[in-house]
Amino acid sequence: GACKGGAVKGPTPPHEGRAFPCVRFLGDVREANLAVATLGMSPESLWLAWADWAIHLAGAPGKRTELALQLVQAMATLATTDHSAVGMVLGTQVPDPRFAAPAWQQQPYRHWAQAFLLWQEWWNQATRDVPGTEPHHAAVVSFVARQCLDMLAPSNQPWCNPEVLQATLQQGGANA
């Protein structure tokens, strides 16, 4: 048969031209296991998108300077502003529902929320409009960066979320 390296007899096999078509099964097994581990995302595609973005960002001194200035401005704003409208990204009027509860108005939670939103906005700017980057790759990098940042949001960390801490105290740690 075909897997023993011998000649295939009968109708033209689907893997014509390959000496050992059954070894393709190894690749299929790898792809199936990788799809389960990565929730169907191709690490190669993610790597390609990131490399395209990173290489073009490295070659764009104007964009890097702009990002550095935005970071300095955000840090200065964070240090000097009484963020009375917590949950608002500076420069926008769209509140972030994750930080809408009154508990987020107290320090240090208000500061943490605003710092996170500024950091999130900085990464949004960093992953967009990088000269030379393929638009699809920029969108992929921006999406992945946003997902990673959302995992780190203070609202998703029980020890940084005043709503979770209040519920824990009220229920003696029995909250789920």
Side-chain angles (χ1 to χ4, degrees):
C3 289
K4 296 178 185 173
V8 177
K9 297 180 176 130
T12 305
H15 304 292
E16 184 177 348
R18 292 189 222 147
F20 301 98
C22 65
V23 298
R24 291 289 266 212
F25 175 73
L26 298 173
D28 295 342
V29 169
R30 176 214 176 249
E31 292 297 320
N33 288 327
L34 189 61
V36 170
T38 63
L39 302 176
M41 292 183 282
S42 165
E44 295 87 355
S45 293
L46 293 175
W47 171 252
L48 182 61
W50 179 85
D52 182 26
W53 168 79
I55 289 167
H56 284 96
L57 182 61
K63 179 68 173 181
R64 290 192 326 267
T65 302
E66 179 185 314
L67 290 170
L69 293 173
Q70 287 175 350
L71 185 60
V72 169
Q73 181 181 22
M75 291 171 60
T77 301
L78 187 62
T80 60
T81 305
D82 172 41
H83 308 284
S84 57
V86 104
M88 306 284 276
V89 175
L90 298 178
T92 70
Q93 295 301 313
V94 180
D96 190 313
R98 294 176 288 188
F99 307 114
W104 285 101
Q105 302 305 316
Q106 305 302 315
Q107 292 295 0
Y109 309 110
R110 180 167 55 184
H111 182 79
W112 293 345
Q114 198 64 44
F116 170 77
L117 290 171
L118 287 169
W119 188 239
Q120 180 177 273
E121 179 58 25
W122 185 87
W123 269 105
N124 184 50
Q125 295 298 318
T127 59
R128 303 223 183 252
D129 300 323
V130 176
T133 303
E134 172 77 29
H136 174 71
H137 290 162
V140 169
V141 170
S142 183
F143 173 78
V144 171
R146 175 66 188 257
Q147 298 309 301
C148 292
L149 286 170
D150 283 348
M151 288 188 311
L152 300 173
S155 56
N156 288 333
Q157 309 307 319
W159 52 88
C160 296
N161 186 325
E163 297 172 87
V164 171
L165 293 174
Q166 286 175 355
T168 301
L169 287 173
Q170 288 172 351
Q171 298 175 27
N175 53 318

